[in-house]
Amino acid sequence: MHFLTGHSGAGKSTLLKLATAIERPSGGRVLVGGDDITRIPRRRIPYLRRAIGTVFQDHKLLFDRTVYDNVALALQVRNFPRAKITGRVQAVLSRVGLGDQMNKYPITLSGGEQQRVAIARALVNKPDLLLADEPTGNLDKQLGDEIMDLFYEFHQFGMTVLVATHDLSQPQRLNLPQLQLERGMLVS
């Protein structure tokens, strides 16, 4: 688990987009799990993304679907059996404190609750790699600490976690390494 830090515009979000092939580099290579993803055909990109849990700054929720449906979608595209989907979705929503919000629509939730739905969606697949872009930006300190502790717990069970953040208190609190970007370059 590492934190990706740097000023606004340093390239944190871009780096996460490169790792998920949302953006393609103009040069060089992008290695994820030892594979050069700059060379994979476009038709294989969805399979790459299924192994990566991603929490976006703007949540990317579907507002015409319930909280349950937003989280379940990550499993449905992988053809999980319905019974397993229900159990996993309920468990992860409970874990992020939204077990009682399953039947609500995201538009009725606060920004922090929407962020937790996005986090649940990213975690429900139990991905090998979790990328989070400012996952605590809309959360108060206590809930932000709880979410980071949850990420750390998943890391302890073998998940690789990279968190882009402006909040330098989190890497210090958890005593975890920081990768600092400046104008697209790794400076420390």
Side-chain angles (χ1 to χ4, degrees):
M1 182 170 178
H2 282 65
F3 286 87
L4 186 60
T5 63
H7 295 291
S8 200
K12 300 181 300 294
S13 297
T14 300
L15 181 63
L16 299 183
K17 289 176 184 176
L18 288 168
T20 55
I22 291 171
E23 290 187 13
R24 297 292 199 144
S26 55
R29 299 184 310 157
V30 178
L31 301 173
V32 176
D35 296 322
D36 183 356
I37 66 167
T38 55
R39 300 192 186 279
I40 66 171
R42 289 202 182 279
R43 71 180 184 281
R44 296 215 7 100
I45 291 173
Y47 299 100
L48 165 76
R49 292 182 185 153
R50 289 177 191 168
I52 301 171
T54 307
V55 181
F56 298 97
Q57 277 183 337
D58 60 354
H59 319 311
K60 304 256 189 257
L61 299 176
L62 302 172
F63 288 101
D64 64 335
R65 296 185 186 203
T66 64
V67 166
Y68 175 91
D69 292 334
N70 268 274
V71 177
L73 185 61
L75 297 171
Q76 291 167 344
V77 298
R78 294 184 66 192
N79 294 317
F80 267 67
R82 182 174 287 172
K84 284 188 177 185
I85 291 173
T86 300
R88 274 214 195 169
V89 171
Q90 289 173 340
V92 76
L93 284 171
S94 292
R95 196 74 175 104
V96 298
L98 294 175
D100 60 343
Q101 308 289 328
M102 279 192 282
N103 296 318
K104 290 189 175 181
Y105 286 84
I107 196 73
T108 66
L109 303 177
S110 71
E113 289 170 327
Q114 289 178 16
Q115 183 72 339
R116 288 187 279 156
V117 174
I119 291 166
R121 184 186 54 209
L123 293 173
V124 75
N125 266 332
K126 299 180 183 176
D128 296 328
L129 173 61
L130 175 66
L131 303 175
D133 196 355
E134 295 290 348
T136 60
N138 294 323
L139 308 178
D140 62 40
K141 171 121 176 68
Q142 180 183 344
L143 189 53
D145 288 351
E146 289 175 19
I147 293 300
M148 285 300 173
D149 291 344
L150 180 63
F151 288 168
Y152 185 74
E153 181 182 318
F154 276 84
H155 166 67
Q156 295 295 87
F157 288 106
M159 184 183 299
T160 300
V161 180
L162 180 61
V163 179
T165 186
H166 288 97
D167 182 2
L168 299 181
S169 69
Q170 291 296 345
Q172 292 166 355
R173 183 180 72 83
L174 294 170
N175 194 30
L176 289 169
Q178 294 180 52
L179 304 170
Q180 185 179 0
L181 292 180
E182 191 174 297
R183 292 183 299 208
M185 301 294 289
L186 183 64
V187 294
S188 71

Short mmCIF file of all heavy atoms in Angstrom, two decimals, residues 109-154:
data_model
loop_
_atom_site.label_atom_id
_atom_site.label_comp_id
_atom_site.label_asym_id
_atom_site.label_seq_id
_atom_site.Cartn_x
_atom_site.Cartn_y
_atom_site.Cartn_z
N LEU A 109 -28.44 10.40 -1.75
CA LEU A 109 -27.39 10.27 -0.75
C LEU A 109 -26.51 11.51 -0.71
O LEU A 109 -26.40 12.24 -1.69
CB LEU A 109 -26.52 9.05 -1.05
CG LEU A 109 -27.23 7.69 -1.16
CD1 LEU A 109 -26.23 6.61 -1.54
CD2 LEU A 109 -27.95 7.34 0.12
N SER A 110 -25.84 11.70 0.41
CA SER A 110 -24.86 12.78 0.52
C SER A 110 -23.64 12.45 -0.34
O SER A 110 -23.46 11.30 -0.77
CB SER A 110 -24.43 12.96 1.97
OG SER A 110 -23.62 11.85 2.37
N GLY A 111 -22.79 13.43 -0.56
CA GLY A 111 -21.56 13.20 -1.32
C GLY A 111 -20.68 12.14 -0.68
O GLY A 111 -20.11 11.30 -1.37
N GLY A 112 -20.58 12.16 0.64
CA GLY A 112 -19.79 11.17 1.34
C GLY A 112 -20.36 9.77 1.21
O GLY A 112 -19.63 8.79 1.05
N GLU A 113 -21.69 9.67 1.25
CA GLU A 113 -22.32 8.36 1.07
C GLU A 113 -22.13 7.86 -0.36
O GLU A 113 -21.89 6.66 -0.58
CB GLU A 113 -23.81 8.46 1.42
CG GLU A 113 -24.06 8.62 2.91
CD GLU A 113 -25.51 8.96 3.22
OE1 GLU A 113 -26.17 9.66 2.42
OE2 GLU A 113 -25.99 8.54 4.29
N GLN A 114 -22.22 8.77 -1.33
CA GLN A 114 -21.97 8.36 -2.71
C GLN A 114 -20.54 7.85 -2.87
O GLN A 114 -20.30 6.86 -3.57
CB GLN A 114 -22.21 9.54 -3.67
CG GLN A 114 -23.66 9.91 -3.82
CD GLN A 114 -23.88 11.10 -4.72
OE1 GLN A 114 -23.00 11.49 -5.48
NE2 GLN A 114 -25.07 11.69 -4.66
N GLN A 115 -19.60 8.50 -2.20
CA GLN A 115 -18.21 8.06 -2.26
C GLN A 115 -18.07 6.65 -1.67
O GLN A 115 -17.36 5.82 -2.20
CB GLN A 115 -17.31 9.05 -1.51
CG GLN A 115 -15.84 8.72 -1.57
CD GLN A 115 -15.23 8.96 -2.94
OE1 GLN A 115 -15.90 9.02 -3.96
NE2 GLN A 115 -13.93 9.10 -2.97
N ARG A 116 -18.80 6.38 -0.59
CA ARG A 116 -18.74 5.04 0.00
C ARG A 116 -19.37 3.99 -0.90
O ARG A 116 -18.93 2.84 -0.91
CB ARG A 116 -19.37 5.06 1.40
CG ARG A 116 -18.47 5.80 2.38
CD ARG A 116 -18.97 5.70 3.80
NE ARG A 116 -20.03 6.68 4.00
CZ ARG A 116 -20.97 6.57 4.92
NH1 ARG A 116 -21.01 5.54 5.73
NH2 ARG A 116 -21.88 7.51 5.05
N VAL A 117 -20.38 4.36 -1.68
CA VAL A 117 -20.95 3.42 -2.67
C VAL A 117 -19.87 3.09 -3.71
O VAL A 117 -19.68 1.93 -4.06
CB VAL A 117 -22.20 4.00 -3.36
CG1 VAL A 117 -22.67 3.07 -4.49
CG2 VAL A 117 -23.32 4.23 -2.36
N ALA A 118 -19.16 4.11 -4.16
CA ALA A 118 -18.09 3.89 -5.14
C ALA A 118 -16.99 3.00 -4.57
O ALA A 118 -16.45 2.13 -5.27
CB ALA A 118 -17.51 5.23 -5.59
N ILE A 119 -16.68 3.18 -3.30
CA ILE A 119 -15.68 2.35 -2.64
C ILE A 119 -16.16 0.91 -2.54
O ILE A 119 -15.42 -0.03 -2.83
CB ILE A 119 -15.31 2.93 -1.26
CG1 ILE A 119 -14.55 4.25 -1.45
CG2 ILE A 119 -14.51 1.93 -0.42
CD1 ILE A 119 -14.43 5.09 -0.18
N ALA A 120 -17.43 0.73 -2.18
CA ALA A 120 -17.99 -0.62 -2.10
C ALA A 120 -17.94 -1.30 -3.46
O ALA A 120 -17.59 -2.48 -3.56
CB ALA A 120 -19.44 -0.55 -1.58
N ARG A 121 -18.28 -0.56 -4.51
CA ARG A 121 -18.25 -1.13 -5.87
C ARG A 121 -16.83 -1.57 -6.24
O ARG A 121 -16.62 -2.61 -6.85
CB ARG A 121 -18.79 -0.12 -6.87
CG ARG A 121 -18.86 -0.67 -8.28
CD ARG A 121 -19.27 0.38 -9.29
NE ARG A 121 -18.36 1.52 -9.19
CZ ARG A 121 -18.72 2.77 -9.47
NH1 ARG A 121 -19.94 3.05 -9.86
NH2 ARG A 121 -17.84 3.74 -9.37
N ALA A 122 -15.84 -0.77 -5.85
CA ALA A 122 -14.44 -1.11 -6.16
C ALA A 122 -13.97 -2.33 -5.38
O ALA A 122 -13.13 -3.09 -5.87
CB ALA A 122 -13.54 0.08 -5.86
N LEU A 123 -14.49 -2.53 -4.19
CA LEU A 123 -14.02 -3.62 -3.34
C LEU A 123 -14.79 -4.93 -3.51
O LEU A 123 -14.28 -5.99 -3.16
CB LEU A 123 -14.09 -3.20 -1.86
CG LEU A 123 -13.14 -2.09 -1.43
CD1 LEU A 123 -13.44 -1.65 0.00
CD2 LEU A 123 -11.70 -2.53 -1.57
N VAL A 124 -15.99 -4.87 -4.06
CA VAL A 124 -16.85 -6.06 -4.09
C VAL A 124 -16.24 -7.21 -4.88
O VAL A 124 -16.48 -8.38 -4.58
CB VAL A 124 -18.27 -5.71 -4.60
CG1 VAL A 124 -18.28 -5.47 -6.11
CG2 VAL A 124 -19.28 -6.77 -4.19
N ASN A 125 -15.41 -6.92 -5.88
CA ASN A 125 -14.75 -7.96 -6.68
C ASN A 125 -13.55 -8.58 -5.99
O ASN A 125 -12.96 -9.51 -6.52
CB ASN A 125 -14.27 -7.37 -8.01
CG ASN A 125 -15.25 -7.55 -9.12
OD1 ASN A 125 -16.03 -8.49 -9.12
ND2 ASN A 125 -15.22 -6.65 -10.07
N LYS A 126 -13.15 -8.03 -4.85
CA LYS A 126 -11.92 -8.45 -4.17
C LYS A 126 -10.75 -8.41 -5.17
O LYS A 126 -10.09 -9.42 -5.43
CB LYS A 126 -12.07 -9.84 -3.56
CG LYS A 126 -13.16 -9.92 -2.51
CD LYS A 126 -13.27 -11.31 -1.93
CE LYS A 126 -14.43 -11.37 -0.94
NZ LYS A 126 -14.65 -12.71 -0.43
N PRO A 127 -10.50 -7.23 -5.73
CA PRO A 127 -9.48 -7.12 -6.77
C PRO A 127 -8.07 -7.31 -6.23
O PRO A 127 -7.82 -7.13 -5.04
CB PRO A 127 -9.67 -5.71 -7.31
CG PRO A 127 -10.18 -4.95 -6.13
CD PRO A 127 -11.06 -5.92 -5.39
N ASP A 128 -7.14 -7.63 -7.11
CA ASP A 128 -5.73 -7.72 -6.73
C ASP A 128 -5.15 -6.33 -6.51
O ASP A 128 -4.23 -6.15 -5.73
CB ASP A 128 -4.93 -8.43 -7.84
CG ASP A 128 -5.36 -9.86 -8.04
OD1 ASP A 128 -5.78 -10.50 -7.05
OD2 ASP A 128 -5.30 -10.34 -9.18
N LEU A 129 -5.68 -5.36 -7.26
CA LEU A 129 -5.17 -3.99 -7.22
C LEU A 129 -6.33 -3.04 -7.00
O LEU A 129 -7.34 -3.11 -7.70
CB LEU A 129 -4.47 -3.66 -8.55
CG LEU A 129 -4.00 -2.23 -8.78
CD1 LEU A 129 -2.97 -1.80 -7.73
CD2 LEU A 129 -3.42 -2.09 -10.19
N LEU A 130 -6.18 -2.15 -6.02
CA LEU A 130 -7.17 -1.11 -5.76
C LEU A 130 -6.51 0.24 -6.00
O LEU A 130 -5.47 0.54 -5.39
CB LEU A 130 -7.69 -1.19 -4.32
CG LEU A 130 -8.64 -0.07 -3.91
CD1 LEU A 130 -9.95 -0.15 -4.68
CD2 LEU A 130 -8.92 -0.13 -2.42
N LEU A 131 -7.09 1.03 -6.89
CA LEU A 131 -6.63 2.38 -7.17
C LEU A 131 -7.71 3.33 -6.68
O LEU A 131 -8.88 3.18 -7.05
CB LEU A 131 -6.40 2.58 -8.66
CG LEU A 131 -5.43 1.63 -9.34
CD1 LEU A 131 -5.40 1.87 -10.84
CD2 LEU A 131 -4.04 1.77 -8.75
N ALA A 132 -7.32 4.29 -5.86
CA ALA A 132 -8.30 5.21 -5.29
C ALA A 132 -7.83 6.65 -5.50
O ALA A 132 -6.73 7.01 -5.08
CB ALA A 132 -8.50 4.92 -3.81
N ASP A 133 -8.66 7.44 -6.15
CA ASP A 133 -8.34 8.83 -6.46
C ASP A 133 -9.11 9.73 -5.48
O ASP A 133 -10.32 9.91 -5.62
CB ASP A 133 -8.73 9.14 -7.90
CG ASP A 133 -8.10 10.41 -8.42
OD1 ASP A 133 -7.42 11.11 -7.64
OD2 ASP A 133 -8.29 10.70 -9.61
N GLU A 134 -8.41 10.25 -4.49
CA GLU A 134 -8.99 11.10 -3.45
C GLU A 134 -10.23 10.45 -2.81
O GLU A 134 -11.30 11.04 -2.77
CB GLU A 134 -9.36 12.48 -4.01
CG GLU A 134 -8.19 13.30 -4.48
CD GLU A 134 -7.30 13.81 -3.37
OE1 GLU A 134 -7.68 13.74 -2.18
OE2 GLU A 134 -6.19 14.28 -3.69
N PRO A 135 -10.09 9.22 -2.29
CA PRO A 135 -11.26 8.51 -1.77
C PRO A 135 -11.87 9.12 -0.52
O PRO A 135 -13.01 8.81 -0.18
CB PRO A 135 -10.72 7.12 -1.48
CG PRO A 135 -9.29 7.35 -1.17
CD PRO A 135 -8.87 8.46 -2.10
N THR A 136 -11.14 9.98 0.17
CA THR A 136 -11.68 10.57 1.40
C THR A 136 -11.97 12.06 1.24
O THR A 136 -12.24 12.75 2.21
CB THR A 136 -10.70 10.36 2.58
OG1 THR A 136 -9.45 10.98 2.26
CG2 THR A 136 -10.49 8.89 2.85
N GLY A 137 -11.94 12.54 0.00
CA GLY A 137 -12.12 13.96 -0.26
C GLY A 137 -13.44 14.53 0.24
O GLY A 137 -13.50 15.68 0.64
N ASN A 138 -14.51 13.74 0.24
CA ASN A 138 -15.83 14.22 0.67
C ASN A 138 -16.23 13.68 2.04
O ASN A 138 -17.40 13.74 2.40
CB ASN A 138 -16.90 13.81 -0.34
CG ASN A 138 -16.72 14.47 -1.67
OD1 ASN A 138 -16.31 15.62 -1.75
ND2 ASN A 138 -16.99 13.74 -2.75
N LEU A 139 -15.27 13.14 2.77
CA LEU A 139 -15.59 12.51 4.05
C LEU A 139 -15.00 13.30 5.21
O LEU A 139 -13.96 13.94 5.07
CB LEU A 139 -15.04 11.08 4.07
CG LEU A 139 -15.42 10.17 2.91
CD1 LEU A 139 -14.75 8.81 3.06
CD2 LEU A 139 -16.92 10.01 2.79
N ASP A 140 -15.67 13.24 6.36
CA ASP A 140 -15.08 13.88 7.54
C ASP A 140 -13.89 13.05 8.02
O ASP A 140 -13.67 11.94 7.55
CB ASP A 140 -16.13 14.07 8.64
CG ASP A 140 -16.73 12.77 9.16
OD1 ASP A 140 -15.98 11.77 9.31
OD2 ASP A 140 -17.93 12.74 9.43
N LYS A 141 -13.12 13.61 8.93
CA LYS A 141 -11.86 12.97 9.37
C LYS A 141 -12.09 11.56 9.89
O LYS A 141 -11.36 10.64 9.53
CB LYS A 141 -11.18 13.83 10.42
CG LYS A 141 -10.00 13.15 11.09
CD LYS A 141 -8.73 13.90 10.92
CE LYS A 141 -7.58 13.28 11.64
NZ LYS A 141 -7.13 12.01 11.10
N GLN A 142 -13.09 11.38 10.74
CA GLN A 142 -13.33 10.06 11.34
C GLN A 142 -13.67 9.03 10.27
O GLN A 142 -13.09 7.94 10.24
CB GLN A 142 -14.46 10.13 12.37
CG GLN A 142 -14.74 8.77 13.01
CD GLN A 142 -15.90 8.82 13.99
OE1 GLN A 142 -16.31 9.88 14.44
NE2 GLN A 142 -16.43 7.66 14.32
N LEU A 143 -14.58 9.36 9.37
CA LEU A 143 -14.96 8.42 8.32
C LEU A 143 -13.80 8.21 7.35
O LEU A 143 -13.57 7.10 6.88
CB LEU A 143 -16.21 8.89 7.58
CG LEU A 143 -16.82 7.89 6.61
CD1 LEU A 143 -17.10 6.54 7.28
CD2 LEU A 143 -18.09 8.44 6.03
N GLY A 144 -13.04 9.27 7.06
CA GLY A 144 -11.86 9.14 6.21
C GLY A 144 -10.87 8.15 6.80
O GLY A 144 -10.31 7.31 6.09
N ASP A 145 -10.64 8.26 8.11
CA ASP A 145 -9.75 7.32 8.79
C ASP A 145 -10.28 5.89 8.70
O ASP A 145 -9.52 4.95 8.46
CB ASP A 145 -9.56 7.70 10.26
CG ASP A 145 -8.71 8.95 10.45
OD1 ASP A 145 -8.11 9.45 9.47
OD2 ASP A 145 -8.64 9.43 11.62
N GLU A 146 -11.60 5.74 8.87
CA GLU A 146 -12.21 4.40 8.80
C GLU A 146 -12.03 3.79 7.40
O GLU A 146 -11.72 2.61 7.27
CB GLU A 146 -13.69 4.47 9.16
CG GLU A 146 -13.95 4.74 10.64
CD GLU A 146 -15.42 4.92 10.95
OE1 GLU A 146 -16.28 4.50 10.14
OE2 GLU A 146 -15.72 5.49 12.02
N ILE A 147 -12.22 4.61 6.36
CA ILE A 147 -12.07 4.11 4.99
C ILE A 147 -10.62 3.73 4.73
O ILE A 147 -10.33 2.67 4.16
CB ILE A 147 -12.57 5.15 3.97
CG1 ILE A 147 -14.09 5.33 4.09
CG2 ILE A 147 -12.16 4.77 2.55
CD1 ILE A 147 -14.92 4.08 3.85
N MET A 148 -9.69 4.57 5.16
CA MET A 148 -8.27 4.23 4.97
C MET A 148 -7.89 2.99 5.76
O MET A 148 -7.10 2.17 5.30
CB MET A 148 -7.37 5.40 5.36
CG MET A 148 -7.37 6.51 4.37
SD MET A 148 -6.79 5.96 2.74
CE MET A 148 -7.13 7.43 1.83
N ASP A 149 -8.46 2.84 6.95
CA ASP A 149 -8.21 1.62 7.73
C ASP A 149 -8.76 0.40 7.01
O ASP A 149 -8.15 -0.68 7.03
CB ASP A 149 -8.83 1.74 9.13
CG ASP A 149 -8.13 2.75 10.01
OD1 ASP A 149 -6.98 3.15 9.69
OD2 ASP A 149 -8.72 3.15 11.03
N LEU A 150 -9.90 0.56 6.35
CA LEU A 150 -10.47 -0.53 5.56
C LEU A 150 -9.56 -0.89 4.39
O LEU A 150 -9.28 -2.06 4.16
CB LEU A 150 -11.86 -0.12 5.04
CG LEU A 150 -12.61 -1.15 4.20
CD1 LEU A 150 -12.92 -2.40 5.00
CD2 LEU A 150 -13.90 -0.53 3.66
N PHE A 151 -9.04 0.13 3.69
CA PHE A 151 -8.09 -0.13 2.61
C PHE A 151 -6.86 -0.86 3.15
O PHE A 151 -6.36 -1.79 2.54
CB PHE A 151 -7.64 1.17 1.93
CG PHE A 151 -8.69 1.84 1.08
CD1 PHE A 151 -8.48 3.13 0.64
CD2 PHE A 151 -9.87 1.21 0.71
CE1 PHE A 151 -9.42 3.77 -0.16
CE2 PHE A 151 -10.81 1.83 -0.08
CZ PHE A 151 -10.58 3.11 -0.52
N TYR A 152 -6.39 -0.40 4.30
CA TYR A 152 -5.20 -1.03 4.92
C TYR A 152 -5.49 -2.49 5.28
O TYR A 152 -4.64 -3.36 5.08
CB TYR A 152 -4.77 -0.24 6.15
CG TYR A 152 -3.50 -0.75 6.77
CD1 TYR A 152 -2.27 -0.53 6.16
CD2 TYR A 152 -3.52 -1.48 7.96
CE1 TYR A 152 -1.10 -1.01 6.71
CE2 TYR A 152 -2.35 -1.96 8.51
CZ TYR A 152 -1.16 -1.73 7.88
OH TYR A 152 0.00 -2.22 8.43
N GLU A 153 -6.69 -2.74 5.78
CA GLU A 153 -7.07 -4.12 6.12
C GLU A 153 -7.07 -5.00 4.87
O GLU A 153 -6.56 -6.13 4.89
CB GLU A 153 -8.47 -4.10 6.76
CG GLU A 153 -8.98 -5.44 7.19
CD GLU A 153 -10.38 -5.34 7.77
OE1 GLU A 153 -10.65 -4.39 8.53
OE2 GLU A 153 -11.20 -6.22 7.44
N PHE A 154 -7.62 -4.50 3.77
CA PHE A 154 -7.61 -5.26 2.52
C PHE A 154 -6.17 -5.49 2.05
O PHE A 154 -5.83 -6.55 1.54
CB PHE A 154 -8.43 -4.57 1.43
CG PHE A 154 -9.90 -4.88 1.50
CD1 PHE A 154 -10.74 -4.17 2.34
CD2 PHE A 154 -10.43 -5.89 0.74
CE1 PHE A 154 -12.09 -4.46 2.41
CE2 PHE A 154 -11.78 -6.20 0.80
CZ PHE A 154 -12.61 -5.48 1.64
#
